[in-house]
Amino acid sequence: MSLPHAILTALLEKPSSGLELTRRFDRSIGYFWSATHQQIYRELGKLEQAGHIRALPSETPARGQKKEYEVLPAGRAELAEWTRRVEDPKPIRSALLLRLRAAAVVGTEGMADELRRHLALHQAQLDEYLGMEKRQFPPERDTEADRLRHLVLRGGIELERFWVVWLTEALEGLDGLEARDRTGP
Amino acid sequence: MSLPHAILTALLEKPSSGLELTRRFDRSIGYFWSATHQQIYRELGKLEQAGHIRALPSETPARGQKKEYEVLPAGRAELAEWTRRVEDPKPIRSALLLRLRAAAVVGTEGMADELRRHLALHQAQLDEYLGMEKRQFPPERDTEADRLRHLVLRGGIELERFWVVWLTEALEGLDGLEARDRTGP
DNA sequence: GGGTACATGTAAATAGTTACATGATTGG
DNA sequence: CCAATCATGTAACTATTTACATGTACCC
């Protein structure tokens, strides 16, 4: 039940249309909770029905026309209630770790290339986060909201750093194994 | 499409019944791809239909009776093909990071307690992984499969370590904010 | 007027969760 | 025999993904 709350947060930061939300998800909130435009439109409909958001009055409320939403008091209350809820962390799901484990049984062929590819992707994501950190959180700004958002971004940064470090180590180990396969133990 | 492959891997490591698989998921593979017994039974049915696994012959193949499965060559081939596939990492989903971001907008009340609770849970998981590492990967054992499985466990360990470090820092930041709220800036 | 980007949406399929049903085996 | 545990399964619901449909606005 996180998507509606992700949307409420985004809309509180700035009232937006469905497509604008989709784009903002691709750049910021979506780094921790991604969503496609179809999910977002559907969820906007539900949130509107529930009285948590409303469409800003517009001259031409028709298909193909931009429709902007803003959060109503009930939506803000729901979001606040959500932040205070007790909710256990969900176990991570990593197809890559799973595939490596499968490779332990059926062989590591092709794995090293795939790890290198993932390493490059995580390195790129890390660089992007570091750029965002520099641009959005210069040392002088320091409101409470800024500090919290910075904390969240630091989480993203350290997670990507974890992957970069782990993948680098994994590749060293795997290259060792593959060299041994080629030359014999 | 990872669950069937997680099951194939587990069955290759050791032929099992549905309930045995469920328990093994709770302890090992499930750390990176969790699943409930309902998901597992449903998937076992599909894998059997697809000819990837088969039930070991039994005298009484009835409801309430244990039914053991083993992997057929086609299943092993499918798993090997999967490990060689090109597949991008999926963006992480963390409801906690999301909730912290929401708290930046609607207030941090209750957040510190929740972070402390998560910190304790991740610390416990880390300790469990470290215990598994000690028991399952003593320095002397060093087959290829062992090294790969150890690598996967190291991934789990470092991920939990990330959470422990990040949550500790986050709590320091948050306590600073809340102290400032109480005493004024 | 034709293409492209913008914008919203429907439909269907897959994946995951939650609640409940049913039968076997075993120990008291 | 009854409760607890083991074991398999059905059903319904929620969430997510993928493919496609439709309409508007603007530029050439």
Side-chain angles (χ1 to χ4, degrees):
Chain A
M1 280 287 291
S2 297
L3 180 57
H5 301 103
I7 291 176
L8 286 173
T9 304
L11 285 182
L12 278 171
E13 289 174 353
K14 180 173 172 346
S16 308
S17 68
L19 198 58
E20 276 165 18
L21 275 179
T22 304
R23 285 204 248 277
R24 288 174 55 203
F25 264 68
D26 286 345
R27 289 183 278 107
S28 83
I29 291 213
Y31 288 141
F32 310 110
W33 205 276
S34 60
T36 61
H37 79 275
Q38 291 85 344
Q39 269 181 289
I40 288 171
Y41 283 121
R42 191 149 24 90
E43 207 60 49
L44 283 171
K46 284 192 205 167
L47 284 167
E48 190 176 20
Q49 269 214 318
H52 290 161
I53 63 174
R54 69 161 183 186
L56 291 180
S58 144
E59 319 79 57
T60 52
R63 187 173 185 140
Q65 289 294 328
K66 192 152 97 171
K67 203 159 130 196
E68 290 218 302
Y69 291 94
E70 68 175 0
V71 178
L72 295 172
R76 175 183 281 265
E78 165 58 32
L79 187 63
E81 196 274 321
W82 181 63
T83 63
R84 287 193 293 268
R85 232 177 271 179
V86 169
E87 205 174 86
D88 284 349
K90 289 221 200 126
I92 49 135
R93 291 202 155 171
S94 166
L96 189 64
L97 288 173
L98 208 56
R99 285 205 282 166
L100 205 61
R101 176 124 183 190
V105 182
V106 296
T108 57
E109 202 201 323
M111 266 284 124
D113 281 348
E114 183 69 350
L115 293 187
R116 265 186 285 275
R117 212 174 59 81
H118 281 238
L119 176 53
L121 290 170
H122 284 292
Q123 184 65 59
Q125 186 68 63
L126 174 56
D127 291 345
E128 193 184 328
Y129 284 163
L130 289 173
M132 286 175 59
E133 187 182 32
K134 221 177 210 169
R135 282 194 308 278
Q136 293 175 25
F137 303 105
E140 57 275 18
R141 286 184 65 191
D142 189 31
T143 69
E144 171 167 334
D146 275 334
R147 283 180 62 178
L148 285 168
R149 275 191 279 263
H150 193 174
L151 204 53
V152 174
L153 182 57
R154 296 292 319 167
I157 287 171
E158 294 307 324
L159 260 175
E160 293 302 330
R161 233 196 274 283
F162 150 75
W163 281 111
V164 167
V165 170
W166 180 81
L167 282 165
T168 303
E169 285 173 12
L171 274 165
E172 283 166 18
L174 211 60
D175 287 343
L177 282 179
E178 295 194 340
R180 201 165 58 171
D181 284 350
R182 280 192 298 276
T183 61
Chain B
M1 280 285 294
S2 296
L3 180 57
H5 302 103
I7 291 176
L8 286 173
T9 304
L11 285 181
L12 277 171
E13 288 174 354
K14 181 174 174 341
S16 308
S17 67
L19 197 58
E20 277 166 17
L21 274 179
T22 304
R23 284 204 248 277
R24 289 174 56 204
F25 263 69
D26 286 345
R27 287 184 279 105
S28 82
I29 290 214
Y31 288 141
F32 310 111
W33 206 276
S34 60
T36 61
H37 80 275
Q38 293 85 346
Q39 268 181 289
I40 288 171
Y41 282 121
R42 188 147 30 91
E43 207 60 48
L44 283 171
K46 285 191 204 170
L47 284 167
E48 190 176 20
Q49 269 215 317
H52 289 162
I53 63 174
R54 68 162 184 188
L56 291 179
S58 146
E59 319 79 58
T60 52
R63 187 174 185 138
Q65 288 294 328
K66 191 151 98 171
K67 201 159 131 197
E68 289 217 304
Y69 292 94
E70 68 177 359
V71 178
L72 295 172
R76 176 184 279 267
E78 164 59 32
L79 188 62
E81 197 274 320
W82 181 64
T83 63
R84 287 192 295 267
R85 224 143 39 202
V86 169
E87 207 174 84
D88 284 350
K90 288 220 202 127
I92 50 135
R93 290 202 156 171
S94 166
L96 189 65
L97 288 173
L98 209 56
R99 284 205 283 166
L100 205 60
R101 176 127 182 186
V105 181
V106 298
T108 58
E109 200 200 324
M111 267 284 124
D113 281 347
E114 184 70 350
L115 293 187
R116 266 185 285 275
R117 212 175 58 83
H118 281 238
L119 176 55
L121 291 169
H122 284 291
Q123 183 65 58
Q125 187 67 64
L126 174 56
D127 291 344
E128 193 185 328
Y129 284 163
L130 288 173
M132 287 175 60
E133 186 181 33
K134 222 178 208 165
R135 283 193 308 278
Q136 293 176 26
F137 303 104
E140 56 275 17
R141 284 185 66 192
D142 190 30
T143 68
E144 170 166 335
D146 275 335
R147 283 180 61 178
L148 285 169
R149 276 191 277 264
H150 193 173
L151 202 54
V152 173
L153 182 56
R154 296 291 319 167
I157 287 171
E158 293 308 323
L159 260 176
E160 293 302 330
R161 233 196 273 284
F162 151 75
W163 281 111
V164 167
V165 170
W166 179 82
L167 282 165
T168 304
E169 286 174 11
L171 274 165
E172 284 166 18
L174 212 59
D175 287 343
L177 283 179
E178 294 193 340
R180 203 165 57 171
D181 284 349
R182 281 193 298 276
T183 60

